[in-house]
């Protein structure tokens, strides 16, 4: 992509800026859509209607809200630690944005086809934690700080099962590159890793149940990493006002919002890449059937977005199903259940990979 | 160990049960009523914004006195014997100009206490409940049919009449013989207004 | 000046400026947060050197792990809600001597070494090579480090549980 752009503009600098800004083209519309979807899903699950009045079924509502947020006064309380208070939202968003650099949107577009994409994604999510800690601390508000501390503790703990599950997949696939993992699962849906990968044989059926367990663990722990209900301790409205972004308003608040929803998509995309074939179509390509090769990347983009949005929908579904867990329950789930299971899973998948 | 596995299974299973329930609700028609487009039919005898039918109001001030929050302000001026104020729908003759009849709906608590004492049943509840305003002063409703100028005029008239009567009385005390006739039906109307 | 130069100077500036702030600020939490930028800049420099694995390990271990623990430690051991956690300057003379020696050694190394420069040749994946080396040539060191970490873990757990007795 970068080469293509630098050829097009004849300048590496312009190309660098454009390719750096490209994920925004996806993130902003996605966030606008996801916020609307969240409100609609939550409403219909509670037998309500949700926003209805701005546009057809309120689809313009988030855009209106976005402009409202832009115009709002940017309030900075006088006792905050100004410098870090102002920087924190951007660091949180940068952490999210960096993840998007390595996501394979389709075979034609991937920010950087990193050889160690999975590893990279785990690493840069650490930036989000720092940003949250910074926001909570700089707000000089005890609720914000509690939220930030909880968030950091939660993300750090849940990174362990995530990493272990990803490790087992890496062992099974033999690569850390997201695009390679996606390419392995090409053609039909039974080649997805959740169904045991593309190789037919004994291993496929042996590994299948463990892949499903791995998927469950990964999904639960990524859910916790993005601070979504039932693991939304950091922003528990009923106890902490809004956690680490209590003191923020206007554009900075919308940065947190953007980061949260962007993160939701990022982790869903990772789950879909690892287990559900990423951008690969489950049922073959229309471009193949019509002998139109240029169609395939667009189809892949569609499948990638569709899978990502499906998992985002499941996150919302869970959010409106489950009540929030307590802090100790959160930690019990992580340390007493997810981690032992993922370690056992790792060992079993390792043994299966060997035979 | 068994306990542990059972717990795990229970956790997954109960989440799935919950998700099934919420998924079903996703397709249940919403109970929301799209308020400004669709309205719930109001029950009979709802208490909402008051209305005063000024044609029937005799300015007796009973409603204002009944009001627990004093949100009705009534000012009246006696009508001149020559004025024809009309008759209420239940046959009473009106004798007072109601120069001011204000209800402050920002204060009104919709208790309906003002409605019962009205002798002519001209103050009553309507079914209008959407009358919010941006300024509180806009909730101050003037029901009087007379404009301020007209009210002033009526007041002046009455004062003039009063003054003339005083003058007349004084004159009558001085010289009993004369018969100045400022207005025509003075005596009859005067007795009635005194009766009120 | 191509794009890589710009990126290099950018990361170098980030590293140096934030590094300066880390040592000059009196507020411990501020120093921790500035450290984020320093570590991040160093990771960027690693990337430019073609050491992608090291860069990401830098991010994962230092930013995602050590820095967070450091901030946690600072915030939990002090009055966390107060913005002004301060550290004074002490031992100026020993510090100056130590830093001077270190600086001298570093500059000496910098000028004495004959740097082998290699023409940039794209980004070669280094991960599998590192992995292979770790379990062949350096397997003993690798295992020893593993044991060391295990010992540290057990030690931490035992310290944390001591008050139960
Ligand atoms: S409804 Fe009650 S509060 Fe309102 S004007 Fe009548 S008596 Fe007063
Ligand atoms: S009680 Fe009825 S007639 Fe009397 S002043 Fe009130 S509205 Fe008019």
């Amino acid at each position: 992509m970068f080469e293509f752009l630098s050829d097009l503009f004849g300048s590496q600098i312009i190309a660098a800026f454009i390719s750096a800004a490209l994920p925004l083209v996806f993130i902003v519309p996605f966030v606008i859509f996801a916020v609307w979807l969240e409100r609609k899903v939550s409403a219909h699950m509670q037998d309500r209607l949700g926003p209805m009045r701005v546009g057809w079924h309120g689809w313009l509502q988030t855009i209106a809200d976005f402009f409202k947020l832009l115009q709002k006064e940017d309030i900075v309380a006088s006792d905050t630690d100004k410098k870090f208070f102002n920087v924190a939202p951007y660091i949180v968003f940068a952490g999210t944005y960096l993840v998007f650099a390595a996501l394979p949107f389709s075979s034609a577009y991937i920010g950087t086809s990193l050889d160690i994409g999975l590893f990279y994604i785990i690493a840069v999510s650490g930036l989000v934690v720092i940003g949250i800690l910074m926001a909570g601390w700089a707000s000089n508000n005890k609720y914000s700080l509690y939220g930030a501390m909880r968030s950091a503790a939660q993300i750090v703990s849940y990174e362990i099962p995530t990493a272990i599950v990803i490790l087992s997949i890496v062992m099974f696939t033999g690569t850390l590159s997201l695009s390679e993992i996606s390419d392995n699962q090409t053609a039909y849906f039974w080649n997805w890793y959740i169904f045991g990968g593309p190789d037919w044989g004994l291993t496929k059926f042996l590994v299948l149940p463990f892949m499903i367990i791995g998927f469950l663990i990964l999904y639960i722990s990524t859910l916790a990493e993005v601070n979504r209900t039932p693991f939304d301790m950091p922003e528990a409205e009923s106890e902490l006002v809004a956690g680490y972004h209590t003191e923020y308003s206007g554009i900075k608040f919308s940065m947190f919002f953007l980061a949260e929803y962007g993160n939701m998509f990022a982790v869903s995309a990772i789950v879909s890449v690892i287990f559900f074939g990423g951008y690969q179509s489950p049922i073959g390509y229309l471009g193949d059937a019509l002998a139109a090769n240029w169609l395939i990347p667009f189809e892949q983009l569609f499948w990638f977005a569709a899978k990502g949005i499906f998992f985002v929908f499941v996150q919302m579904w869970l959010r409106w199903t489950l009540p929030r867990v307590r802090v100790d329950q959160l930690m019990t789930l992580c340390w007493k259940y997810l981690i032992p299971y993922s370690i056992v899973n790792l060992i079993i998948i390792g043994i299966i990979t060997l035979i | 160990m068994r306990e542990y596995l059972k717990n795990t299974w229970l956790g997954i299973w109960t989440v799935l049960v919950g998700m099934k329930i919420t998924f079903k609700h996703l397709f249940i028609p919403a109970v929301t009523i799209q308020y400004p487009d669709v309205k719930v039919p109001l029950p009979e005898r709802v208490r909402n914004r008051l209305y005063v039918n000024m044609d029937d109001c005799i300015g007796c001030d009973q409603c204002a006195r009944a009001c627990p929050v004093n949100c009705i302000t009534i000012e009246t001026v006696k009508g001149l014997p020559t004025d024809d104020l009309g008759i209420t729908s239940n046959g009473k003759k009106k004798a007072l100009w109601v120069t001011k009849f204000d209800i402050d709906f920002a204060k009104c608590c919709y208790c309906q206490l003002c409605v019962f004492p009205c002798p002519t049943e001209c103050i009553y509840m309507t079914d209008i409940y959407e009358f919010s305003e941006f300024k509180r002063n806009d909730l101050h409703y003037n029901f009087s049919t007379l404009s301020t100028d007209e009210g002033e005029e009526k007041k002046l008239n009455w004062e003039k009449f009063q003054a003339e009567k005083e003058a007349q009385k004084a004159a009558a005390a001085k010289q009993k013989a004369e018969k100045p006739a400022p207005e025509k039906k003075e005596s009859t109307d005067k007795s009635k207004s005194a009766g009120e | 000046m191509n794009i890589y130069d710009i990126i290099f100077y950018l990361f170098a500036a980030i590293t140096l400026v934030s590094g300066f702030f880390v040592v000059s600020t009196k507020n411990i939490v501020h120093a921790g947060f500035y450290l984020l930028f320093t570590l991040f800049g160093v990771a960027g420099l690693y990337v430019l050197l073609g050491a992608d694995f090291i860069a990401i390990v830098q991010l994962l271990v230092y930013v995602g792990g050590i820095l967070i623990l450091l901030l946690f430690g600072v915030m939990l051991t002090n009055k966390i809600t107060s913005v002004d956690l301060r550290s004074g300057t002490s031992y100026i003379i020993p510090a100056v001597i130590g830093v001077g020696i270190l600086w001298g050694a570093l500059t000496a190394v910098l000028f004495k070494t004959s740097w082998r420069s290699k023409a940039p040749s794209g980004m070669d994946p280094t991960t599998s090579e590192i992995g292979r080396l770790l379990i062949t040539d350096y397997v003993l060191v690798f295992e020893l480090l593993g044991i060391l970490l295990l010992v540290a873990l057990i030690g931490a757990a035992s310290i944390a549980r001591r008050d139960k007795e």
Side-chain angles (χ1 to χ4, degrees):
Chain A
M1 203 65 198
F2 177 68
E3 282 79 24
F4 170 72
L5 281 170
S6 56
D7 284 348
L8 192 67
F9 293 102
S11 156
Q12 285 184 321
I13 298 171
I14 297 178
F17 273 105
I18 291 181
S19 53
L22 261 181
L24 271 185
V25 177
F26 182 80
I27 295 179
V28 172
F30 167 76
V31 170
I32 285 174
F33 171 75
V35 173
W36 174 78
L37 186 72
E38 167 109 59
R39 296 170 77 171
K40 286 310 241 189
V41 166
S42 66
H44 283 283
M45 278 181 178
Q46 298 167 347
D47 297 348
R48 296 183 287 116
L49 283 173
M52 285 296 278
R53 298 196 69 80
V54 192
W56 180 81
H57 278 251
W59 71 277
L60 286 169
Q61 183 70 54
T62 356
I63 298 176
D65 286 350
F66 178 69
F67 283 114
K68 180 200 74 180
L69 276 177
L70 280 187
Q71 307 169 21
K72 283 224 165 168
E73 186 189 351
D74 187 15
I75 301 168
V76 181
S78 60
D79 268 355
T80 53
D81 197 327
K82 301 276 176 337
K83 223 178 306 162
F84 291 111
F85 184 82
N86 291 332
V87 166
Y90 303 103
I91 288 182
V92 172
F93 183 66
T96 308
Y97 200 70
L98 284 174
V99 174
F100 276 78
L103 288 184
F105 283 90
S106 87
S107 58
Y109 178 68
I110 167 167
T112 50
S113 177
L114 270 183
D115 199 50
I116 41 174
L118 270 175
F119 198 33
Y120 166 81
I121 284 174
I122 299 177
V124 291
S125 58
L127 213 56
V128 177
V129 188
I130 300 272
I132 287 174
L133 264 179
M134 198 186 273
W137 188 80
S139 294
N140 201 7
N141 169 334
K142 51 184 107 121
Y143 294 121
S144 296
L145 191 59
Y146 276 133
M149 295 297 257
R150 282 182 183 184
S151 170
Q154 175 176 330
I155 295 178
V156 170
S157 328
Y158 275 87
E159 241 167 34
I160 299 168
T162 315
I164 293 177
V165 171
I166 287 180
L167 201 62
S168 56
I169 300 304
V170 168
M171 264 179 6
F172 191 69
T173 60
T175 176
L176 276 161
S177 153
L178 283 166
S179 49
E180 213 169 300
I181 291 177
S182 313
D183 280 339
N184 281 345
Q185 312 173 58
T186 184
Y188 296 96
F189 61 85
W190 51 80
N191 285 343
W192 289 351
Y193 279 120
I194 186 115
F195 299 120
D199 301 322
W200 286 86
L202 189 59
T203 37
K204 185 173 167 90
F205 295 100
L206 272 181
V207 86
L208 199 145
F210 301 104
M211 282 295 179
I212 291 173
I213 293 173
F215 161 68
L216 285 179
I217 296 170
L218 185 65
Y219 197 77
I220 295 170
S221 46
T222 52
L223 193 65
E225 273 195 59
V226 293
N227 301 332
R228 294 282 299 179
T229 331
F231 307 110
D232 65 342
M233 303 304 304
E235 35 194 294
E237 300 92 343
S238 41
E239 18 184 316
L240 295 183
V241 193
Y244 53 86
H245 53 66
T246 305
E247 297 286 345
Y248 286 89
S249 61
I251 184 77
K252 288 192 208 119
F253 173 75
S254 56
M255 277 291 157
F256 279 118
F257 224 65
L258 220 58
E260 178 179 342
Y261 280 85
N263 258 335
M264 277 165 69
F265 183 81
V267 296
S268 304
I270 293 164
V271 167
S272 86
V273 167
I274 294 177
F275 288 108
F276 293 89
Y279 54 71
Q280 303 287 358
S281 153
I283 47 168
Y285 292 110
L286 208 62
D288 275 342
L290 298 176
N293 267 336
W294 54 269
L295 205 59
I296 292 179
F298 292 100
E299 274 183 71
Q300 287 173 334
L301 186 62
F302 165 77
W303 283 113
F304 186 76
K307 284 172 191 172
I309 287 171
F310 173 74
F311 286 109
V312 169
F313 168 74
V314 177
Q315 286 178 346
M316 292 170 183
W317 184 2
L318 278 168
R319 170 167 181 184
W320 299 103
T321 302
L322 300 176
R324 182 181 307 133
V325 296
R326 259 186 350 242
V327 180
D328 62 320
Q329 291 167 335
L330 185 90
M331 289 300 160
T332 310
L333 178 65
C334 178
W335 294 97
K336 288 198 182 154
Y337 288 87
L338 294 183
I339 292 180
Y341 274 116
S342 58
I343 290 177
V344 170
N345 209 31
L346 174 82
I347 294 170
I348 293 174
I349 290 183
I351 292 171
I352 294 173
T353 317
L354 273 183
I355 52 175
Chain B
M1 194 65 201
R2 274 189 58 151
E3 189 72 357
Y4 182 79
L5 290 176
K6 233 173 86 186
N7 269 345
T8 317
W9 176 245
L10 202 68
I12 297 173
W13 181 246
T14 43
V15 168
L16 287 179
V17 169
M19 284 174 77
K20 195 179 134 209
I21 293 171
T22 38
F23 194 69
K24 267 196 220 144
H25 275 268
L26 200 55
F27 299 102
I28 289 178
V31 294
T32 311
I33 288 160
Q34 291 273 300
Y35 159 63
D37 306 329
V38 185
K39 286 177 188 166
V40 192
L42 290 174
E44 252 182 278
R45 307 198 303 185
V46 280
R47 305 206 301 254
N48 292 306
R49 191 172 73 185
L50 285 163
Y51 180 72
V52 185
N53 182 1
M54 286 311 290
D55 290 346
D56 277 3
C57 177
I58 54 173
C60 65
D61 205 30
Q62 300 213 37
C63 51
R65 262 175 277 155
C67 177
V69 294
N70 290 335
C71 62
I72 306 180
T73 328
I74 297 174
E75 275 172 18
T76 50
V77 174
K78 282 190 180 158
L80 300 187
T82 47
D83 292 348
D84 182 17
L85 286 106
I87 296 174
T88 64
S89 55
N90 54 5
K92 274 196 179 160
K93 195 135 194 261
K94 298 207 273 182
L96 295 171
W97 291 110
V98 184
T99 52
K100 188 173 174 195
F101 197 118
D102 288 359
I103 303 185
D104 187 355
F105 285 105
K107 279 196 214 154
C108 175
C109 62
Y110 309 101
C111 60
Q112 213 181 6
L113 287 177
C114 52
V115 170
F116 304 115
C118 179
T120 60
E121 290 175 8
C122 64
I123 182 168
Y124 50 86
M125 292 287 184
T126 57
D127 58 359
I128 301 161
Y129 53 91
E130 298 154 307
F131 54 99
S132 48
E133 299 284 355
F134 283 104
K135 281 191 231 117
R136 202 174 292 176
N137 274 347
D138 293 346
L139 283 170
H140 216 262
Y141 281 62
N142 303 320
F143 286 100
S144 173
T145 42
L146 301 176
S147 68
T148 348
D149 288 348
E150 280 175 320
E152 287 301 314
E153 189 195 317
K154 300 289 181 227
K155 210 182 251 169
L156 280 180
N157 278 353
W158 175 250
E159 271 161 16
K160 213 159 78 191
F161 173 68
Q162 203 75 340
E164 271 170 24
K165 222 167 64 180
E166 290 296 315
Q168 195 191 339
K169 257 187 204 162
K174 272 182 193 168
Q175 24 179 297
K176 296 164 189 176
E178 249 113 27
K179 259 191 192 174
E183 317 283 3
K184 283 172 199 167
K185 295 177 188 169
E186 172 207 345
S187 56
T188 50
D189 271 43
K190 213 172 76 182
S191 66
K192 255 182 198 159
S193 64
E196 285 285 326
Chain C
M1 190 142 146
N2 71 12
I3 182 85
Y4 296 107
D5 289 338
I6 298 177
I7 296 175
F8 170 77
Y9 285 116
L10 193 70
F11 277 120
I14 290 176
T15 313
L16 285 178
V17 171
S18 60
F20 174 74
F21 278 122
V22 172
V23 289
S24 63
T25 182
K26 288 241 168 91
N27 188 323
I28 304 173
V29 180
H30 279 189
F33 285 138
Y34 283 124
L35 204 55
L36 164 71
F37 298 101
T38 317
L39 297 172
F40 193 73
V42 172
L45 293 179
Y46 281 137
V47 171
L48 284 177
L49 286 174
D52 53 353
F53 187 78
I54 305 291
I56 287 167
V57 168
Q58 162 92 7
L59 271 187
L60 185 69
V61 173
Y62 284 96
V63 176
I66 290 178
L67 185 55
I68 291 175
L69 284 182
L70 201 140
L71 288 172
F72 245 79
V74 172
M75 288 180 182
L76 285 178
T77 46
N78 281 285
K79 250 179 70 195
I80 51 173
T81 41
S82 79
V83 186
D84 36 51
L85 305 173
R86 305 243 169 247
S87 64
T89 9
S90 42
Y91 305 118
I92 294 178
I93 297 160
V96 166
I97 295 171
V99 170
I101 292 172
L102 188 63
W103 182 77
L106 282 177
T107 18
V109 169
L110 195 67
F111 286 111
K112 285 264 164 57
T113 320
S114 57
W115 295 97
R116 277 184 294 167
S117 57
K118 192 173 135 221
S121 62
M123 288 261 277
D124 296 327
T126 54
T127 323
S128 54
E129 195 53 39
I130 290 175
R132 189 162 300 119
L133 283 177
L134 274 184
I135 51 168
T136 51
D137 291 4
Y138 301 102
V139 66
L140 186 64
V141 185
F142 183 63
E143 293 296 330
L144 280 178
L145 281 177
I147 290 170
L148 182 71
L149 283 179
L150 188 67
V151 169
L153 259 177
I154 294 171
S158 88
I159 289 172
R161 295 198 137 234
R162 187 166 293 162
D163 56 353
K164 284 275 166 65
E165 284 161 21

